Amino acid sequence: MPANRFNGFTDYGVGIGLRVPHYGHILSKKPVVDWFEIISENYMIDGGQPLKVLDQILDQYQVVQHGVSMYFGSAQPLDREHLKRLKQLTRRTRTPWLSDHLCWGSVDGRYTHDLLPLPYTFEAVRTTAARVREVQDYLEIPIAVENVSSYAEFHESQMTEWEFLNEVVHGADCGILLDVNNIYVSSQNHGFDPLEYVNNVAADRVAQIHVAGHSKFEKYTLDTHDHPVLDPVWRLYARAIERVGPTATLLEWDDNIPTFDEVHSEALKANRYRSSAPSPTSTLHPDQRNAAHKDEVRA
């Protein structure tokens, strides 16, 4: 299951995000890294230093693109110029798949530059799945949609978030970028069991997994990406790997960024779970698996 049609039948290991503070180290030291994830929007330009660095990275490493502005859940028509530039970049990077978020963030041409949660309704399933399918058909590479962290919920919702995610990816026939940190953050903010989410997501469609750090405040938990991964998130990751197999994993660290070696060392912690994962084809019923792991994920 790690290499499937939703990640271009690739079998990657553990990667990290390509960030400006690490450019010099990577280009001069040439560290051994399984792959880098880039934020597509940072390179959708005609020239300049970012593309020069990217081309040097592409000469030595595999790159996978991750987007932050597709807004699959927005109701307005897709931005054709954006898609055109995105396709040009996918051809440049030869990314085997492309990911973006299951969210909305634009209205009438105005962009919030935020990843806003959707109402989990059947109408939203239909419109969102149609947009994902349209983008996937245009780009001609697999799409994986990522679950977002959220801090508010809609009274109109007709299903759980994981049910909504499953409905969208089946309707669009696309993959999932399973962010286990986002699952944990949202579970703390909304009071659901994060293990139930992981146990019920469509495991056969998971193309990639994200892990990251978060911050706890008095009234809410925030997805900050500014320090190492906390233990309850690693435990969720372990369960996800148990279900889906050793899938391509990416550590996100986007603020208070330490040295390259520190970030890489934190990312490589994922290998202890990947290497010990049993076959994902467990014979246990989901209710039995849930009971067996119920006490493992705690705040």
Side-chain angles (χ1 to χ4, degrees):
M1 197 183 304
N4 56 49
R5 66 187 178 94
F6 305 111
N7 55 28
F9 296 101
T10 55
D11 192 8
Y12 293 162
V14 177
I16 61 176
L18 182 64
R19 300 295 180 261
V20 173
H22 297 154
Y23 280 178
H25 179 92
I26 296 167
L27 295 177
S28 62
K29 303 296 184 181
K30 298 178 174 57
V32 177
V33 181
D34 291 343
W35 57 287
F36 285 105
E37 183 183 81
I38 66 167
I39 303 300
S40 297
E41 288 78 3
N42 291 340
Y43 303 92
M44 291 168 58
I45 51 181
D46 294 327
Q49 185 67 14
L51 284 183
K52 180 179 178 181
V53 171
L54 177 60
D55 286 340
Q56 290 176 279
I57 296 293
L58 288 168
D59 284 341
Q60 303 173 56
Y61 300 99
Q62 176 64 61
V63 164
V64 176
Q65 289 183 216
H66 179 55
V68 295
S69 63
M70 188 60 66
Y71 302 135
F72 288 126
S74 292
Q76 68 186 48
L78 291 165
D79 184 334
R80 292 295 165 182
E81 182 58 30
H82 180 90
L83 284 177
K84 179 181 178 182
R85 287 181 172 271
L86 185 58
K87 189 167 187 174
Q88 290 172 344
L89 185 61
T90 64
R91 289 176 172 173
R92 188 180 199 128
T93 65
R94 300 178 299 280
T95 181
W97 75 91
L98 179 142
S99 60
D100 210 310
H101 300 80
L102 188 57
C103 69
W104 69 280
S106 59
V107 178
D108 296 331
R110 295 180 180 272
Y111 292 85
T112 65
H113 300 292
D114 206 348
L115 308 175
L116 302 175
L118 289 158
Y120 306 134
T121 64
F122 289 103
E123 180 181 4
V125 167
R126 289 190 293 271
T127 57
T128 303
R131 285 171 66 89
V132 175
R133 186 182 287 272
E134 185 176 356
V135 172
Q136 188 167 244
D137 289 345
Y138 178 79
L139 295 180
E140 301 179 291
I141 57 173
I143 296 289
V145 296
E146 177 184 356
N147 57 290
V148 299
S149 58
S150 63
Y151 312 93
E153 295 180 297
F154 292 90
H155 293 299
E156 294 83 358
S157 290
Q158 300 168 308
M159 64 193 84
T160 64
E161 181 185 338
W162 54 91
E163 290 170 334
F164 180 78
L165 174 61
N166 287 342
E167 291 283 346
V168 169
V169 299
H170 281 96
D173 194 24
C174 71
I176 295 172
L177 195 176
L178 189 67
D179 191 313
V180 291
N181 183 64
N182 286 350
I183 291 173
Y184 184 79
V185 167
S186 295
S187 76
Q188 299 304 292
N189 292 330
H190 305 314
F192 65 81
D193 181 357
L195 191 60
E196 186 176 3
Y197 194 129
V198 173
N199 280 341
N200 287 282
V201 75
D204 59 337
R205 288 181 176 267
V206 175
Q208 181 186 339
I209 301 176
H210 272 175
V211 294
H214 63 263
S215 299
K216 293 185 176 182
F217 299 94
E218 183 177 354
K219 294 185 177 180
Y220 60 91
T221 301
L222 189 64
D223 181 34
T224 50
H225 297 186
D226 61 354
H227 57 73
V229 181
L230 299 182
D231 287 344
V233 175
W234 280 126
R235 290 195 288 270
L236 276 181
Y237 175 73
R239 177 57 184 145
I241 288 295
E242 184 178 11
R243 289 202 65 219
V244 308
T247 300
T249 299
L250 190 285
L251 169 70
E252 296 183 293
W253 200 319
D254 300 315
D255 201 5
N256 296 326
I257 301 175
T259 66
F260 175 89
D261 288 337
E262 289 177 86
V263 174
H264 195 205
S265 177
E266 180 67 16
L268 291 177
K269 290 179 182 179
N271 280 328
R272 72 181 67 167
Y273 305 100
R274 289 167 47 86
S275 62
S276 61
S279 169
T281 56
S282 172
T283 58
L284 289 177
H285 185 276
D287 290 341
Q288 293 175 298
R289 293 197 298 269
N290 185 66
H293 295 273
K294 190 74 174 180
D295 295 329
E296 293 184 9
V297 181
R298 297 298 183 202

